[in-house]
Amino acid sequence: MAGQLVKEWAGIQQFPVATQEKLVDLLAKLKNQNADTLTILVMGKGGVGKSSTINSIIGERVVTVSAFQSETPRPVMVSRSRAGFTLNIIDTPGLVEGGYVNDQVFDSIKRFLMTKTIDVLLYVDRLDAYRVDDLDKQVVKAITDSFGKEIWHKAMVVLTHAQLSPPDALTYEELFSKRSESLLKCVRQGARISKKDVQNFAIPVALVENSGRCNKNEHDEKILPTGTPWIPNVVHAITDIALNGHGGILVDQKVIHPFNPSIPKHNVMPFLAFVLQYFFVIKPIQKQIKYDVSRETIPSWA
Amino acid sequence: MGKGGVGKSSTVNSIIGERVVTVSAFQSETPRPVMVSRSRSGFTLNIIDTPGLVEGGYVSDQVLETIKRFLLNKTIDVLLYVDRLDAYRVDNMDKQVVKAITDSFGKKIWHKAVVVLTHAQLSPPDALSYEEFFSKRSESLLKCVRQGARISKKDLQNFAIPVALVENSGRCNKNEHDEKILPSGTPWIPNLVHTITDVALNGKEGILVDQKLIEGPNANERGKLYIPLILAVQASFRYFFVIKPIQKWIKDDIARETKPSWD
């Protein structure tokens, strides 16, 4: 990371005063708990709004966004400082490509994160998506396999496109509730969080509206359809996670190396393969050869 | 037809004007193809709703099979290929869906197709006007259809696939005549039906789904015929190039072995 310039968080000044005040309070809270940096990892499928969310939080167009294609070919970290506090946000490429979880993207993310500690994971998806399927579960599983189950102690779900009109016959609250529940269930399944472990993994869900058309309140703050200013709301949820007592995820060699001795099958498979081959292939062939040899009549002149 | 959750059933309900097929915001309510038929002054409209073609990252062959079986001996006059206007990526998965439709019904189905984009009452992303957004989204999807259906550049003018916008929500804006309109002001239901009519009368034939079409020559299926042949080749290869030499070496070894005189 030589040459990585940590800039002053100038973008904070373009927020309305009410939002700025709330953000400064939250940063102070973090500093009080001796946390003077925070590293946030943003992940999710392609096109859900990861880069847009980062631009919104930072208050500047720090990462390129296009409506129709991915502009994030590789992970990128954006760092901003304010009053002695440094915020690092890591944008990543979409985790799914053409129906498959993209292992290459995971590898590039893991390599990028080498020796960094993830304090908070933002798992991003759209509020206005109408199906959760096996692919979503595969994404969660891949995140869990890459970083360990503990990452879900430091995670929150971010739902974008929050300024929507819900489908007929559902109120906004009902839509939000059902959509959240749907996605959280998917996370629990993909991360293999057992029923009795569920209370240890209380994953908050935050709404986000990145469009310039986001409605505003009387203080000019961008608000959700519920009236809540969403930027302080997300940062508050992030702060709560940062201070929730669980350790950040240090991404070191053990995490990155694909051979994970804690996965039993990695240990057992080669051994098992050898044993099976010995008993079911080698020994029978030896026996067969011996049998053939013993049966063969030897001419008297041999 | 289309992927799951894009608004196929909602669009059918909008056109018919009644809740003829069940819709739920969070799950598929269309487990199998269903045909809705309505008559008016001697004219009969048949609309066939289908389950989503993608399941968990894969094009569902099962779903395609049930659709083909359902359509046996029916003629498809118009195909509505449905997707969302407010989707921001077109990827290989979409191409696979188009390819699967093409493999199942033949390339000619794209002479009778309309691309339907739902959720039309949207605010476009920053820095794009609604028209620009619609234009780019259409172009993106049409390019995907051309690639997935293998429509060559010179064949392009023969496959002029129209794109229609649809807004199925009850909150759809209305004009002074109480008609549901698009952000451009166009009443979208007559617009869609007009497009369907144009395609029906475009001179190209409807697709008769007969036994022959269902059974093959589906490029995917054709390969299966080769499997017994390949196995036979493998078996003979194994016999001549592996087994026989090993037998010979074993015999040679035995022959060369010196026998003690007491044996």
Side-chain angles (χ1 to χ4, degrees), chain A residues 67 98 126 128 130 166 168 212-213, chain B residues 25 84 86 88 91 124 126 170-171:
Chain A
R126 296 175 65 157
D128 61 349
Y130 300 101
D168 299 341
R213 280 175 209 75
Chain B
R84 294 174 67 156
D86 60 349
Y88 301 99
D91 64 12
D126 298 343
R171 281 176 210 74

Side-chain angles (χ1 to χ4, degrees), chain A residues 82-277:
Chain A
R82 181 81 174 190
F85 180 86
T86 302
L87 182 66
N88 302 313
I89 304 192
I90 299 162
D91 195 8
T92 58
L95 297 174
V96 165
E97 207 160 287
Y100 289 94
V101 170
N102 190 331
D103 290 323
Q104 257 182 310
V105 166
F106 267 100
D107 285 342
S108 73
I109 294 173
K110 286 188 280 190
R111 269 181 276 119
F112 185 85
L113 290 172
M114 184 63 143
T115 73
K116 293 187 181 54
T117 298
I118 306 167
D119 298 310
V120 184
L121 167 68
L122 301 191
Y123 181 72
V124 186
D125 205 338
R126 296 175 65 157
L127 174 63
D128 61 349
Y130 300 101
R131 296 287 183 267
V132 172
D133 64 13
D134 194 64
L135 192 54
D136 297 287
K137 215 177 293 182
Q138 294 298 324
V139 174
V140 173
K141 183 179 183 301
I143 294 175
T144 312
D145 288 345
S146 295
F147 300 108
K149 201 166 161 178
E150 302 77 50
I151 199 164
W152 298 105
H153 286 305
K154 306 301 284 181
M156 64 182 289
V157 169
V158 169
L159 296 177
T160 57
H161 295 270
Q163 184 164 289
L164 58 71
S165 296
D168 299 341
L170 280 175
T171 64
Y172 186 84
E173 287 70 23
E174 285 171 329
L175 172 79
F176 173 47
S177 167
K178 288 194 151 191
R179 174 71 179 133
S180 302
E181 194 38 57
S182 204
L183 211 41
L184 287 174
K185 176 175 170 188
C186 173
V187 170
R188 289 193 298 260
Q189 289 173 341
R192 296 176 154 265
I193 295 170
S194 67
K195 284 215 160 84
K196 58 183 181 69
D197 226 0
V198 168
Q199 50 261 49
N200 286 339
F201 289 91
I203 301 167
V205 182
L207 289 165
V208 149
E209 176 51 58
N210 294 309
S211 128
R213 280 175 209 75
C214 187
N215 290 329
K216 296 181 177 178
N217 63 10
E218 65 273 20
H219 303 297
D220 208 38
E221 297 179 282
K222 290 183 169 184
I223 54 172
L224 301 173
T226 52
T228 318
W230 73 260
I231 296 175
N233 190 53
V234 169
V235 178
H236 191 148
I238 289 172
T239 310
D240 283 350
I241 292 175
L243 301 174
N244 72 2
H246 289 282
I249 313 295
L250 170 61
V251 181
D252 57 11
Q253 270 298 354
K254 244 175 37 140
V255 168
I256 290 188
H257 201 286
F259 179 80
N260 186 349
S262 74
I263 301 174
K265 70 176 179 182
H266 280 205
N267 265 328
V268 172
M269 277 317 228
F271 180 65
L272 198 59
F274 174 73
V275 167
L276 287 174
Q277 276 183 4

Side-chain angles (χ1 to χ4, degrees), chain B residues 80-91:
Chain B
L80 299 189
Y81 182 70
V82 186
D83 204 338
R84 294 174 67 156
L85 174 64
D86 60 349
Y88 301 99
R89 296 286 184 267
V90 172
D91 64 12

Side-chain angles (χ1 to χ4, degrees), chain B residues 207-234:
Chain B
I207 312 295
L208 170 61
V209 182
D210 56 14
Q211 199 64 24
K212 222 172 57 134
L213 187 70
I214 290 189
E215 282 172 359
N218 180 343
N220 285 338
E221 300 290 300
R222 210 183 297 136
K224 291 188 186 162
L225 292 174
Y226 291 116
I227 290 176
L229 186 63
I230 291 171
L231 287 177
V233 169
Q234 273 188 356

Side-chain angles (χ1 to χ4, degrees), chain A residues 46-47 61 66-71 97-100 126 128-135 161 165-170 174-175 178-179 182 210-213 289 293 296 298 302, chain B residues 4-5 19 24-29 54-58 84 86-93 119 123-128 132-133 136-137 140 168-171 250 254 259 263:
Chain A
R61 233 176 218 286
S66 150
F68 296 99
Q69 62 217 24
S70 171
E71 300 281 356
E97 207 160 287
Y100 289 94
R126 296 175 65 157
D128 61 349
Y130 300 101
R131 296 287 183 267
V132 172
D133 64 13
D134 194 64
L135 192 54
H161 295 270
S165 296
D168 299 341
L170 280 175
E174 285 171 329
L175 172 79
K178 288 194 151 191
R179 174 71 179 133
S182 204
N210 294 309
S211 128
R213 280 175 209 75
I289 291 173
V293 168
E296 197 163 307
I298 309 294
Chain B
R19 231 175 220 291
S24 150
F26 295 100
Q27 63 216 23
S28 171
E29 300 281 354
V54 169
E55 216 158 277
Y58 290 94
R84 294 174 67 156
D86 60 349
Y88 301 99
R89 296 286 184 267
V90 172
D91 64 12
N92 191 51
M93 191 77 260
H119 295 269
S123 296
D126 298 343
L128 281 173
E132 285 171 328
F133 183 73
K136 286 192 150 193
R137 174 72 178 133
S140 206
N168 294 309
S169 128
R171 281 176 210 74
I250 291 174
I254 291 170
K259 293 271 169 266
D263 200 4

Side-chain angles (χ1 to χ4, degrees), chain B residues 138-157:
Chain B
S138 303
E139 193 38 57
S140 206
L141 211 41
L142 287 174
K143 176 175 171 187
C144 174
V145 169
R146 291 194 296 261
Q147 288 173 343
R150 297 174 155 268
I151 295 169
S152 66
K153 284 215 163 83
K154 58 183 182 72
D155 224 0
L156 215 49
Q157 47 262 49

